[in-house]
Amino acid sequence: MARITECCAVVALGLLAAFPLRATTPADYAAAVTQARAERVEQLKQMDGYLALTASGWLQPGANSVGSAADNRFEIPGAPAHLGTLQLTADGQVSLHLAETRGITIDGQPAAIVNVLRTQGPDGKQPTRAGFGSSYLYVIENGTQRGLRAKNNDAPLRTHFPGFDYFPIDPSWRIEADWVPFPVPHMLKIAYVTGTVSDTPIAGKAVFHRDGHTWELLPIDEDGRLFFVFSDRTAGRLTYGGARFLYAAAPKDGKVLLDFNLAENPPCAITPHVVCPLAPPENRLKLSVTAGEMKFRGHPND
């Protein structure tokens, strides 16, 4: 299925490939986890990622004013004071009506006064980019909703990203779980920080043991991997309150390797401009998972 966050969370695919499913822990495990964490940060800092986001919001039908001035519906740092309006029609079409065209581009070409914009949807199609200076805006679609996103690759969060704090690497949190497939796919309700809810089919569950108890996690299939949206008793104190993400390779021989040392902050823990899912009730562990990324401490200039 398509990724359920608007922007991509990054998984340490190299580590999953390097350590195939087995019970023993490699001698170089700590070094590999450290490398995977560093690679995740470098991937996050790539151009046009969600660290470059500077503005976001959902369009209303009709005219939506955009620009850097505070009286716009959408205030976009780096844009002309009154760039123009994004016009949303009843059938979901979006056009950008510019106050003036000087210095504005549409997909790298000089802009017209009125510009019809392609939207970015779940099919992966590339949206139209309206550029101004080092910034650009584009429009996404989520069902019947249309949303504005603006990015600047010179944004301080991207150019001065402080990285993450982590729990100490603990090999005991690299857990071999049993994979229990469901005879018929179950539907898992996923709620988002925006208040919307979606039903997502899941094929099975991962069952593991920790501290003398049995625990279960329900994953979403994402491009052949398992994607867990979970929380635990560290949430809100030591880790982000909404959820953390954990990726795992597809089940093999009835087993799934859960490496909580690779548990990640969701994008919305880092920037307010991304819509993320919350941990469903089934994945809220009454267990302190003291592994992986801790609560993001924010940009040093905040």
Side-chain angles (χ1 to χ4, degrees), residues 28-161:
D28 60 350
Y29 174 69
V33 170
T34 300
Q35 178 182 346
R37 290 173 172 178
E39 290 175 354
R40 163 165 156 77
V41 170
E42 288 306 307
Q43 290 172 358
L44 284 178
K45 291 163 61 177
Q46 295 298 308
M47 293 183 66
D48 300 317
Y50 64 75
L51 298 185
L53 282 162
T54 57
S56 64
W58 298 107
L59 302 181
Q60 294 181 343
N64 298 263
S65 58
V66 293
S68 59
D71 61 347
N72 288 288
R73 171 168 169 73
F74 296 106
E75 189 174 346
I76 303 176
H82 296 94
L83 178 65
T85 60
L86 287 168
Q87 299 277 349
L88 174 61
T89 63
D91 61 356
Q93 297 299 308
V94 180
S95 56
L96 174 61
H97 297 238
L98 294 171
E100 63 173 296
T101 60
R102 184 175 58 184
I104 313 301
T105 61
I106 298 296
D107 286 337
Q109 301 300 315
I113 288 292
V114 178
N115 307 270
V116 177
L117 305 183
R118 297 184 310 277
T119 58
Q120 180 185 56
D123 57 1
K125 65 181 178 182
Q126 292 300 307
T128 303
R129 288 189 181 188
F132 36 92
S134 60
S135 300
Y136 63 92
L137 67 79
Y138 60 100
V139 176
I140 67 165
E141 63 178 81
N142 184 358
T144 60
Q145 291 183 304
R146 300 295 181 266
L148 162 76
R149 299 293 185 267
K151 289 183 177 180
N152 182 349
N153 283 311
D154 293 331
L157 184 60
R158 176 178 175 269
T159 57
H160 297 88
F161 185 66

Side-chain angles (χ1 to χ4, degrees), residues 156-262:
L157 184 60
R158 176 178 175 269
T159 57
H160 297 88
F161 185 66
F164 299 105
D165 295 319
Y166 304 94
F167 291 101
I169 296 172
D170 182 351
S172 73
W173 282 109
R174 182 176 182 267
I175 298 173
E176 186 177 82
D178 294 317
W179 175 248
V180 181
F182 297 138
V184 177
H186 289 201
M187 299 302 294
L188 182 65
K189 289 189 178 298
I190 298 290
Y192 294 81
V193 294
T194 54
T196 59
V197 179
S198 66
D199 288 324
T200 305
I202 56 172
K205 61 185 178 181
V207 180
F208 66 97
H209 305 282
R210 180 83 186 188
D211 297 342
H213 296 278
T214 301
W215 310 95
E216 298 180 355
L217 285 175
L218 304 179
I220 299 164
D221 179 82
E222 188 174 278
D223 302 325
R225 298 173 293 161
L226 300 182
F227 174 42
F228 298 87
V229 182
F230 79 97
S231 66
D232 62 276
R233 284 184 168 170
T234 69
R237 299 182 300 107
L238 301 175
T239 59
Y240 180 64
R244 282 191 286 169
F245 292 173
L246 180 66
Y247 289 85
K252 182 178 180 181
D253 299 327
K255 301 292 183 181
V256 173
L257 185 59
L258 304 178
D259 195 337
F260 289 99
N261 289 293
L262 299 179

Side-chain angles (χ1 to χ4, degrees), residues 274-298:
V274 181
V275 175
C276 289
L278 301 170
E282 296 89 338
N283 285 357
R284 297 173 188 172
L285 300 173
K286 295 181 179 180
L287 169 72
S288 292
V289 180
T290 52
E293 293 177 2
M294 301 179 73
K295 186 181 292 184
F296 181 62
R297 64 181 181 271

